[in-house]
Amino acid sequence: MAEVLVLVDHVDGEVKKVTFELLTAARRIGEPAAVVVGAPGTAAKVRESLAGYGATKVYVAESDDAVGYLVTPKVDALAAIVAQASPAAVLVSSTVDGKEVSGRLAARLGTGLLVDAVDIDAEGTVTQSIFGGGVIVKSKATKGIPVVSVRPGSVEPEQAEGAATEQAVELPATDPAKSAKITAREPLVGGDRPALTEASVVVSGGRGVGSAESFDVVEKLADSLGAAVGASRAAVDSGYYPHQFQVGQTGVTVSPQLYIALGISGAIQHRAGMQTSKTIVAVNKDAEAPIFEIADFGVVGDLFQVAPQLTEEVAKRKG
Amino acid sequence: MPNIVVLVKQVPDTYSERKLAESDHTLDRDSADAVLDEINERAVEEALLLKEAQGGEVTVVSVGPDRATDAIRKALSMGADKAVHVSDEALRGSDVLQTAKVLAAAVGKVEGYDLVIAGNEASDGQAGAVPAILAELLGVPQLTHARKVELDGTTLKVERESEEGITRLEASLPAVVSVGEKINEPRYPSFKGIMAAKKKPVETLTVADLGIDAGEVGLGNAWTSVLEAAPKPPRTAGQRVTDEGDGGSKVAEYLVAQKLI
């Protein structure tokens, strides 16, 4: 069976959930082989968790340049492995970095690029949700090895035993005339909350929250559920919450098990980023708000009454 | 004085009905209103800010059918100096990689470019990869998803914003930059700008002019193929209750019933 390469998303020696989702999806097509690109010593920290999701092999591409330059070291590593392993497909996460890595890789290899898949089958045919979730498309690569970015949260991760045999990959030195140097990183300050694309529950606030201070109500409910906090574009534009947390067409696209929208009207801009969520709960004062058209459970009411009560109920049940 | 190229794209308005043609799954351009993609206005604005501070020239490059002229004119009326418009029936149905190749060839037509500025992700295709692919094809650094751009001589510094947080980037020109929506507030074209735009040069090119074989582009030659497309059955509204002091508890009961808490 041919290998399916999975680019590993990791931070501080921890593998992100989306990688387990990709390894699960890769098993449908062939033998999942994880690709770790990072600072020296990274693979040793992540190998075991990759084995737990069925990685038969772990390609190790480690160097100082690997973390010193943007995007290109990952493309270099994947291109080198593709040349020697002739995989059936390459899967990366459909994140800001992942979309760029997959695009460059496909261009370099001269193969078909499939963007932001929400599902993938054994033949490598993908399902995509386009135009803000209004249209469902099935497509496939017609030339070469398909390079696919997969939307975080769209595949249910399943554990499996894998040998995770390490194999070193020689990374070429990065040419600074062709790559941007990373001079500093400032990780997102989200406290102990999960990242938006990783969370299985997301609680978002909109214009109805009314102020930056009042976002407290959203955060408290999120914390009771172990959820990530999101915000609509209207809330971000009003300065209630930082832009990095914006959910929507021009922000982050999320696909959690549960999405709770507080004081969000549900304009297409917002729906585009959340309507593939499995379950949607909405609270809004305006009974006419379009968010109710897509909500599985809607409450017409004041979020400042409903959300704290829900927070309390959740806390009670957790006891 | 930087010689700047700005990429613009005409897209179907997000707020009108967007769909694919039933016959071949390409964008149904007649179903939706066409507009200059909002993020491109920010790309143009950033180019103009750099030009105002440091001099130089701003050239708009667009690949699209004839009616993309409207998007180009808007960029020119904001203050860009001239434009290159690649329009060719052979391009119809091209995929992301083919489009990026054409863009790279068109950028190459702008003599001695220093900086290419684009939006980070179009509102229609949402591949979010064209600026990166362009950097790959041009063999220059990518400083993408910028929320801040600083140019000092030939040194470019960018603050990149992603799910991961902020990454500070540095590279030398020539380079490709893409901007995010927090980069700036685009200006409105002035009446004077709109009048002046009518006289600004727009060079129209075909793929043959770019030295690209028509057999490399278009739907039939794409490296990906859409097998089927269907409107998503609209999510149906579920239960709805009006809060009578027990709204939060009702939600909790629902979540318990769904085994979500």
Side-chain angles (χ1 to χ4, degrees):
Chain A
M1 219 172 19
E3 288 180 8
V4 177
L5 302 185
V6 169
L7 179 64
V8 175
D9 280 5
H10 57 87
V11 69
D12 299 333
E14 295 241 356
V15 177
K16 292 199 178 175
K17 190 173 125 217
V18 64
T19 298
F20 302 139
E21 297 167 7
L22 296 186
L23 287 169
T24 306
R27 293 206 295 272
R28 299 172 189 164
I29 308 166
E31 286 189 2
V35 178
V36 177
V37 183
T42 306
K45 292 182 201 153
V46 300
R47 190 189 153 271
E48 203 171 318
S49 52
L50 297 172
Y53 283 85
T56 53
K57 207 181 261 183
V58 176
Y59 288 102
V60 183
E62 295 178 341
S63 76
D64 292 331
D65 274 3
V67 282
Y69 289 90
L70 183 71
V71 171
T72 50
K74 292 174 185 164
V75 182
D76 292 343
L78 288 169
I81 299 164
V82 167
Q84 65 184 60
S86 306
V90 181
L91 308 185
V92 304
S93 63
S94 184
T95 54
V96 165
D97 279 41
K99 282 178 159 186
E100 296 189 327
V101 169
S102 57
R104 291 189 73 137
L105 181 69
R108 195 177 294 181
L109 299 174
T111 63
L113 171 68
L114 297 162
V115 182
D116 202 19
V118 295
D119 202 5
I120 184 163
D121 71 11
E123 276 74 49
T125 300
V126 305
T127 307
Q128 292 153 309
S129 167
I130 66 165
F131 295 155
V135 178
I136 298 295
V137 168
K138 288 203 176 197
S139 49
K140 67 176 175 60
T142 49
K143 192 180 156 193
I145 297 158
V147 179
V148 185
S149 62
V150 181
R151 183 180 295 184
S154 47
V155 176
E156 189 61 34
E158 287 160 25
Q159 294 190 333
E161 282 300 305
T165 313
E166 288 191 38
Q167 187 169 329
V169 179
E170 190 76 23
L171 262 186
T174 304
D175 179 355
K178 293 184 178 179
S179 297
K181 194 172 174 50
I182 294 172
T183 54
R185 290 174 203 271
E186 294 159 27
L188 200 58
V189 186
D192 294 333
R193 295 191 192 106
L196 265 175
T197 52
E198 296 275 295
S200 51
V201 182
V202 173
V203 182
S204 288
R207 201 197 299 273
V209 178
S211 72
E213 294 73 39
S214 314
F215 241 82
D216 193 39
V217 172
V218 180
E219 290 182 333
K220 279 188 178 142
L221 176 56
D223 290 343
S224 74
L225 291 160
V229 174
S232 71
R233 185 181 187 177
V236 170
D237 284 350
S238 305
Y240 302 165
Y241 220 64
H243 178 241
Q244 294 97 307
F245 298 93
Q246 183 174 317
V247 171
Q249 175 162 284
T250 55
V252 181
T253 298
V254 297
S255 211
Q257 294 296 319
L258 172 62
Y259 189 91
I260 302 181
L262 302 174
I264 292 174
S265 67
I268 176 71
Q269 156 72 229
H270 188 72
R271 293 205 306 269
M274 47 67 79
Q275 66 179 346
T276 52
S277 304
K278 311 297 176 292
T279 301
I280 297 171
V281 171
V283 181
N284 204 297
K285 264 192 211 165
D286 177 9
E288 304 298 317
I291 192 80
F292 287 126
E293 291 163 19
I294 60 163
D296 299 290
F297 194 89
V299 180
V300 180
D302 182 358
L303 74 94
F304 294 102
Q305 304 296 325
V306 178
Q309 190 177 60
L310 176 56
T311 307
E312 215 171 283
E313 292 283 344
V314 173
K316 237 192 268 173
R317 281 176 166 81
K318 278 191 174 160
Chain B
M1 292 204 295
N3 187 0
I4 304 171
V5 175
V6 183
L7 307 185
V8 305
K9 181 181 186 185
Q10 199 191 39
V11 295
D13 192 342
T14 299
Y15 295 92
S16 61
E17 192 192 359
R18 298 180 291 180
K19 52 184 187 184
L20 299 178
E22 279 177 29
S23 54
D24 63 0
H25 310 312
T26 58
L27 175 64
D28 182 347
R29 295 186 192 263
D30 295 327
S31 78
D33 301 330
V35 293
L36 170 59
D37 205 354
E38 186 189 305
I39 196 69
N40 293 157
E41 294 182 27
R42 299 182 198 274
V44 173
E45 178 67 30
E46 200 59 22
L48 295 175
L49 291 173
L50 282 170
K51 182 193 161 178
E52 281 156 12
Q54 308 190 13
E57 191 173 48
V58 176
T59 306
V60 174
V61 168
S62 188
V63 174
D66 287 345
R67 72 174 188 173
T69 315
D70 297 344
I72 292 169
R73 287 287 166 204
K74 178 148 195 202
L76 291 174
S77 63
M78 286 174 73
D81 299 295
K82 59 189 175 65
V84 175
H85 181 188
V86 183
S87 178
D88 199 318
E89 186 52 34
L91 289 168
R92 196 175 163 281
S94 294
D95 67 11
V96 177
L97 292 173
Q98 291 170 315
T99 305
K101 268 190 189 169
V102 174
L103 281 168
V107 169
K109 284 275 175 190
V110 180
E111 213 170 301
Y113 74 90
D114 297 303
L115 185 57
V116 179
I117 306 182
N120 58 355
E121 179 169 291
S123 59
D124 55 352
Q126 294 205 281
V130 168
I133 298 171
L134 199 58
E136 173 80 24
L137 298 174
L138 295 171
V140 301
Q142 68 165 85
L143 298 90
T144 44
H145 293 275
R147 67 166 196 182
K148 193 175 173 197
V149 176
E150 279 177 275
L151 180 61
D152 182 6
T154 59
T155 304
L156 188 62
K157 289 184 184 176
V158 156
E159 279 181 27
R160 170 185 174 91
E161 184 174 38
S162 72
E163 309 93 338
E164 318 239 301
I166 304 298
T167 310
R168 289 178 199 277
L169 304 172
E170 192 175 315
S172 295
L173 298 181
V176 173
V177 163
S178 79
V179 300
E181 65 173 342
K182 289 291 145 195
I183 186 92
N184 57 39
E185 279 307 317
R187 68 195 65 188
Y188 288 103
S190 65
F191 180 69
K192 204 175 139 206
I194 293 168
M195 295 312 286
K198 294 182 176 167
K199 295 191 189 105
K200 289 177 177 171
V202 179
E203 188 182 3
T204 307
L205 301 174
T206 62
V207 289
D209 294 333
L210 296 173
I212 294 174
D213 182 353
E216 290 179 44
V217 294
L219 186 64
N221 306 303
W223 295 353
T224 49
S225 152
V226 174
L227 307 173
E228 55 185 85
K232 187 180 176 166
R235 258 189 115 104
T236 43
Q239 280 173 272
R240 185 172 357 160
V241 299
T242 300
D243 180 33
E244 283 161 354
D246 59 354
S249 308
K250 288 254 173 73
V251 177
E253 283 164 25
Y254 173 79
L255 295 179
V256 169
Q258 299 293 315
K259 301 193 165 53
L260 286 162
I261 54 173

